[in-house]
Every structure is written in C-alpha cells, then in structure tokens.
C-alpha cells in the first residue's frame, strides 16, 4: 500500500516535469483500452470500432483488454489505479453513474479517480427472449412472468450493468421479482438466450439487432421514447403498455486521474475523429446506436453528464432497495 502511494507520487512528479514534452511525442507505444465486460458484447463492440478509428487518428494502435466482472467495477478499480500516462484508457457506460449507489463499498470515486475524455454514443435497449418463449407480445409477457415468477429466468451482466438496470426498472414497473442469472457480459448471456438456457433479458441494440432481424430471438419492444430507425417495426415499451418506461444507455471514455492535459487533448481529438469516421458511422447506424455530437465528445460535457446521471439514478436505486455490500 505504502509502496503504491510512493509509486503514484513518483509517477506524478515524473509526469509533472516531463508532461509537456511527453505530450508532444505521445503516443510512442500501443494504448490499451479497458472494456469492463466480456468480448463479443455491446460495450466490446462499440469499443473495438472506436479503438480502431482512434488508432488511425493517433497513428498508433489501440488494443482491447476485457476486464469483466462485478458489473464493471473490477475494471474501473483497475483503471483508477493505473499509471496516468495515456497508455491506459477506459470505455464504460451508464454503469459508471449507477455504481456509486449500487455498491456500498466502492474502492474508487467516479468523479475524482478519473480524467473524463468524452461521451461516445447513445444506445437504446430491447426487451428480448429466447425464440420459443411462449408470450407473443408485451401484454402476454407481463401476464406470463407474473404467473410464472418462480420459473422464469432473467439474464443480466451483473449489478451495475445496463441489462441489470433495465431489468430492475421492468420488475419494479410490473411489481414482480424474478430470478436473475448474472453473466460477465451480455455477449455470453446472448449465447445462452440463443441456446434456450435462459428465458429473457433487456440488452442494447448493438448486441440484439442482428439476432432480432434474423428471427433467432423474440423481441417485445424498445426502451426509448420513440421507435429506433434501424428497427422500425418494433414498438416502444411505452406504446405497448408500460407508460414512462424509458432507458437509454450512453458510453464514455476516461483516463486515470492525473493523465497530463496535452495527452487528454490528443485523446479528445482522436475520439472526435473516430466519431466522424465513415465505418464507425455506418456500423453504429446498422446497430441502432448514435455517435454523440462533437460538443459532447469533450471532458466538460462528460463531467456534467456523469454528475447528472449519478443524481438521476441514485434515488431510483435507493427506492428499489438494490445494493451490494
Ligand atoms: N454492456 C454490457 C456488455 O457489454 C452489458 C450490460 O451492460 O448489460 O456485456
């Protein structure tokens, strides 16, 4: 512990003295983007697209490291303790704003242990089920899960995942507690849904669109206020009988606290370039997600958004009485 404190102070001094020069040359080696969920899931999909385009902009390479588990908090703790040298960055989603209310003992502070880089995208969710799950529409689904609450299983990616948040809101809207099956990401959860080992889940369109289009899973609705352009035939949950049910997921990029400003500036520019990249734009559109505007892909916008989201979700989570010790 003492050793780590000394190391941080030493690194801080080195970066303070060498900061500007260091920033000019940056990057001189591969940058690691930490993803807090399994490979093949929605956050990983967004991360890989953005990492490739940011690498092109920085004329360097970004590699992905999936550090899954505990709803993203294991990865966040690791990033909070990483060297603030620009070679570790972190892509996380709405879970960065719900973790402080969900986890009573968080080993990091979402405001003071990270350097915001910028928001990345907004993505709707879909309520989906295994292909042979009996209910045919939302009305039937609600009646079915209420009548079979001891049998039905709901998949999520752990406390703090988007799929957890959406499931929590759904259960509270229909006033029924269900058995949840936690995975290290909705990538593996989707495999089990396709295999029929689990009944239903709520997941981002970045992970469900192709399975919905090919008819491999059932869909009951989208979680946004309006329909999603890439899935125009799918009704919103509001339309189908769950008024005011609305959840939209956002991803953002962070660096460890203390990463020098010249480096953050370069990362912001690379993120903004990535969001204008033709391949990223096309893939995002296919997957039903939207890049944020350039103004929102900034540290200031992310700082304000994170604060607003922490304030928005804390009372909701408190009312639901959900937390981990
Ligand atoms: N974003 C998670 C993943 O990539 C899933 C979730 O948050 O529900 O697996």
């Amino acid at each position: 512990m003492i050793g780590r404190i000394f190391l941080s102070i030493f690194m801080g001094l080195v970066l303070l003295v060498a900061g500007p020069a260091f920033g000019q040359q940056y990057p001189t080696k591969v940058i690691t983007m930490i993803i807090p969920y399994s490979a093949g899931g929605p956050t990983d999909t967004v991360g890989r697209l953005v990492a490739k385009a940011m690498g092109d902009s920085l004329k360097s390479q970004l590699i992905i490291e999936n550090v899954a588990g505990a709803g993203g908090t294991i990865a966040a703790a690791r990033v909070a303790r990483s060297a603030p040298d620009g070679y570790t960055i972190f892509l996380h989603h709405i879970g960065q704003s719900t973790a402080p209310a969900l986890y009573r003992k968080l080993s990091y502070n979402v405001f003071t242990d990270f350097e915001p880089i910028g928001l990345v995208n907004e993505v709707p969710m879909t309520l989906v089920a295994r292909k042979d799950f009996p209910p045919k529409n939302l009305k039937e689904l609600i009646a079915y899960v209420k009548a079979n609450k001891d049998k039905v299983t709901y998949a999520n990616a752990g406390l703090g995942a988007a799929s957890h948040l959406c499931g929590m809101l759904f259960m509270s809207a229909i006033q029924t507690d269900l058995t949840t099956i936690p995975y290290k990401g909705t990538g593996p959860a989707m495999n089990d849904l396709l295999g029929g080992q689990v009944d239903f889940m709520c997941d981002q369109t970045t992970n469900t669109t192709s399975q919905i289009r090919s008819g491999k899973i059932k869909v009951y609705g989208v979680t946004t206020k309006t329909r999603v352009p890439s899935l125009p035939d799918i009704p919103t949950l509001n339309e189908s009988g769950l008024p005011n049910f609305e959840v939209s997921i956002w991803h953002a990029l962070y660096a460890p606290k203390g990463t020098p400003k010249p480096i953050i500036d370069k990362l912001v520019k690379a993120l903004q370039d990535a969001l204008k990249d033709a391949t990223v734009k096309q893939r995002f559109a296919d997957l039903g997600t939207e890049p944020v505007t350039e103004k929102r892909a900034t540290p200031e916008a992310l700082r304000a958004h994170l604060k607003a989201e922490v304030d928005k979700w804390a009372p909701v989570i408190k009312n639901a009485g959900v937390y981990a010790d």
Side-chain angles (χ1 to χ4, degrees), residues 85-98:
D85 58 6
Y87 293 101
T88 301
I89 59 173
F90 183 38
L91 180 84
H92 198 358
H93 64 12
I94 193 167
Q96 184 80 334
S97 68
T98 54

Side-chain angles (χ1 to χ4, degrees), residues 36-291:
Y37 292 99
S38 308
T43 302
D44 183 73
T45 298
V46 168
R48 280 174 203 269
L49 283 166
V50 171
K52 164 76 178 67
M54 283 180 73
D56 292 347
S57 166
L58 287 164
K59 302 200 173 24
S60 182
Q61 202 197 347
L62 270 81
I63 55 161
I64 299 291
E65 189 178 340
N66 299 89
V67 181
T73 58
I74 294 176
R78 153 106 169 260
V79 174
R81 290 193 307 265
S82 295
D85 58 6
Y87 293 101
T88 301
I89 59 173
F90 183 38
L91 180 84
H92 198 358
H93 64 12
I94 193 167
Q96 184 80 334
S97 68
T98 54
L102 287 168
Y103 288 83
R104 289 188 172 176
K105 290 182 198 131
L106 216 50
S107 68
Y108 56 88
N109 182 303
V110 295
F111 297 114
T112 55
D113 285 330
F114 300 87
E115 216 64 75
I117 297 171
L119 285 152
V120 176
N121 67 326
E122 305 261 8
V123 48
M125 301 190 85
T126 45
L127 196 57
V128 293
R130 63 180 161 85
K131 199 178 167 186
D132 52 359
F133 199 44
K136 287 195 275 307
N137 51 43
L138 182 69
K139 215 171 142 226
E140 284 187 23
L141 175 76
I142 295 172
Y144 186 88
V145 297
K146 280 181 170 241
N148 297 280
K149 65 181 167 71
D150 298 327
K151 269 192 359 219
V152 168
T153 50
Y154 176 87
N156 70 27
L159 203 68
S163 45
H164 166 262
L165 180 67
C166 184
M168 186 186 91
L169 297 174
F170 179 71
M171 288 176 216
S172 135
I174 67 166
Q175 294 177 342
T176 308
D177 267 342
L178 299 171
T179 305
T180 53
I181 315 283
Y183 292 80
K184 286 190 170 178
T186 48
M190 177 58 83
N191 290 339
D192 274 8
L193 199 73
L194 290 166
Q197 286 94 333
V198 68
D199 292 327
F200 80 122
M201 71 172 169
C202 181
D203 196 17
Q204 296 162 69
T205 55
T206 29
N207 202 35
T208 59
T209 300
S210 64
Q211 316 292 4
I212 291 172
R213 284 197 187 133
S214 63
K216 289 190 184 138
I217 55 176
K218 251 184 192 156
V219 59
Y220 297 106
V222 295
T223 64
T224 36
K225 214 178 229 153
T226 53
R227 290 192 181 202
V228 177
S230 55
L231 293 168
D233 301 334
I234 314 299
T236 66
L237 294 177
N238 281 195
E239 269 175 65
S240 314
L242 277 184
N244 304 321
F245 191 101
E246 204 195 324
V247 51
S248 173
I249 304 309
W250 50 276
H251 282 92
L253 266 186
Y254 308 81
K257 187 74 189 173
T259 304
K261 172 127 186 353
I263 290 179
I264 295 291
D265 290 345
K266 285 194 176 183
L267 289 165
V268 172
K269 166 80 170 55
L271 170 63
Q272 292 175 343
D273 286 349
L275 298 183
K276 281 183 258 168
D277 178 88
T279 311
V280 170
K281 279 168 72 175
Q282 184 58 52
R283 288 289 295 141
F284 271 21
D286 291 346
L287 296 168
T289 178
E290 251 190 77

Side-chain angles (χ1 to χ4, degrees), residues 17-39:
V17 175
F22 191 67
Q24 268 162 29
Q25 281 164 21
Y26 173 84
T28 57
K29 58 176 187 176
V30 168
I31 300 165
T32 300
M33 181 188 278
I34 305 269
I35 303 279
Y37 292 99
S38 308

